Amino acid sequence: GDSPMTRFVSRCLFVPILGLAAQLAGLSSAFAQQFLPNKYTDPQTNEVLEYNVLLPPGYDAAAEKKYPLWVCLHAANNTNPPNRKLSSDGKCYVGAFTDPKNPAFFMVPISQTNMSGWGDAGMNSPISQPEKFEGRLTVVVIKELMGKYKIDADRLYIAGPSMGARGTWDIIRRNPTMFAAAGPAAGPADPRDAELYASQNIWAINGSNDSTSAENTAAIDAIRAIGGNPIYTLLQNRGHDTWRSVFNDPQFVAWMYAQRRGVPWWSHEPPAPTTLKADPQNGSTTLVGGVSTVPPKGLGPTTPFPGTSSASGGGGAGGAAGSAAVGLAGQSS
């Protein structure tokens, strides 16, 4: 009914709910406003790259402080044409990569191509092939942003899943001295490009059942054979969606932010990039880690470590070893 008591109760319930809704709407709007939509047009070819920029919280252009820049390359989808939007695909994994201790810029480009829109560094795509324009323009935009904002040139990070991983591998092989760290997940690299990757800080991710895992593992082995030291997470009995496990791991994010351009991760002591963790989907245990002459923190005396197990192959320059990851039984995965 419409009695005074009914109106009183309704008001008591409605006002707090309305206030909460307004607060949530305000938070959502404030977060959305931080993503600045942009478009770059190549003056020579008229090719267009749309992208979002996310500013660090409290960014002050007049201050002297510089911030890292994280580039996130999204995956492909099942639509043809893709018809992606900045409002949706333009967020990528920014939420997972955000670290309150490390305020950063984010640049999220949009590709309207599937499969290898950013580029492809697999064995069927040698570096002699022309560079994909969306990957090329991504690098152009990064340089443009560095001239516009207070960005630390020694703290550029790039990562992406699937098609984004293919693009990550391709961009860092074509620009081997540009990034502080890279995180390609579920995308292949070419072992013949090992020299281009050897001095870079790379945390690669794959699933043992992924069609790209054999090619990816061969590339990791080739990089290590000449003295490089990529970290490699190979999740057993997993297929293509391995980034959902690792990109959301605070250890992965902390490791990325700890890297600096031109400083090999194995030459200093970053947040421990090596741990034994159980895969929540199948219970298998996988060693997440790389190869180093000194095991990072977090490894107990009984924990197998790549390079110390007879199953992992001999050491190379800089403490590199052959196999990708060693499980609990000391067997190469």
Side-chain angles (χ1 to χ4, degrees):
D2 194 29
S3 67
M5 179 59 71
T6 300
R7 290 195 297 271
F8 174 76
V9 172
S10 297
R11 181 175 178 81
C12 289
L13 293 174
F14 179 70
V15 170
I17 291 173
L18 182 63
L20 177 60
Q23 291 180 24
L24 293 176
L27 288 174
S28 175
S29 175
F31 185 74
Q33 288 174 358
Q34 295 179 53
F35 280 93
L36 306 178
N38 290 268
K39 180 186 292 186
Y40 178 84
T41 302
D42 189 324
Q44 304 298 324
T45 65
N46 288 324
E47 293 165 325
V48 175
L49 179 72
E50 291 187 291
Y51 63 96
N52 270 332
V53 172
L54 181 65
L55 303 184
Y59 174 68
D60 182 359
E64 293 299 319
K65 181 178 180 179
K66 291 188 175 183
Y67 298 83
L69 169 66
W70 195 308
V71 180
C72 185
L73 304 180
H74 64 69
N77 61 24
N78 295 322
T79 62
N80 192 15
N83 191 28
R84 298 185 177 93
K85 303 295 183 183
L86 283 174
S87 58
S88 53
D89 299 271
K91 305 296 176 62
C92 198
Y93 274 79
V94 170
F97 295 156
T98 299
D99 181 0
K101 297 179 181 179
N102 290 283
F105 286 92
F106 285 88
M107 182 255 186
V108 187
I110 294 290
S111 168
Q112 294 302 336
T113 308
N114 271 333
M115 295 305 293
S116 58
W118 309 115
D120 191 350
M123 293 186 68
N124 293 324
S125 300
I127 196 171
S128 57
Q129 284 191 352
E131 187 175 10
K132 295 292 180 69
F133 86 88
E134 287 166 313
R136 175 176 57 82
L137 294 188
T138 293
V139 174
V140 171
V141 169
I142 292 171
K143 294 177 180 178
E144 192 173 74
L145 293 177
M146 292 173 66
K148 182 178 180 180
Y149 296 110
K150 296 292 181 64
I151 293 173
D152 187 345
D154 292 326
R155 299 190 70 193
L156 305 182
Y157 308 112
I158 185 168
S162 192
M163 183 178 86
R166 291 176 181 270
T168 297
W169 281 116
D170 189 51
I171 287 174
I172 67 172
R173 73 173 173 171
R174 295 179 186 273
N175 305 272
T177 62
M178 185 173 190
F179 295 93
D190 191 335
R192 294 171 295 186
D193 292 325
E195 188 173 349
L196 298 172
Y197 300 125
S199 63
Q200 300 196 60
N201 295 317
I202 299 169
W203 187 322
I205 303 153
N206 221 309
S208 64
N209 294 342
D210 194 317
S211 62
T212 66
S213 66
E215 193 171 337
N216 211 55
T217 301
I220 296 295
D221 287 345
I223 297 168
R224 290 175 173 171
I226 61 173
N229 200 353
I231 295 173
Y232 188 30
T233 300
L234 185 63
L235 297 180
Q236 292 300 303
N237 304 316
R238 282 288 291 276
H240 192 59
D241 65 341
T242 46
W243 60 87
R244 302 184 192 280
S245 296
V246 182
F247 279 179
N248 291 296
D249 189 332
Q251 185 174 232
F252 170 79
V253 176
W255 181 87
M256 290 284 287
Y257 278 113
Q259 308 316 313
R260 302 295 183 274
R261 179 177 60 163
V263 182
W265 76 265
W266 55 96
S267 70
H268 62 98
E269 193 173 17
T274 312
T275 184
L276 286 170
K277 60 185 294 184
D279 188 315
Q281 292 194 11
N282 58 37
S284 67
T285 304
T286 305
L287 181 66
V288 180
V291 183
S292 176
T293 53
V294 179
K297 288 181 179 179
L299 284 178
T302 60
T303 304
F305 187 76
T308 62
S309 167
S310 60
S312 66
S323 182
V326 179
L328 281 175
Q331 295 180 342
S332 170
S333 61

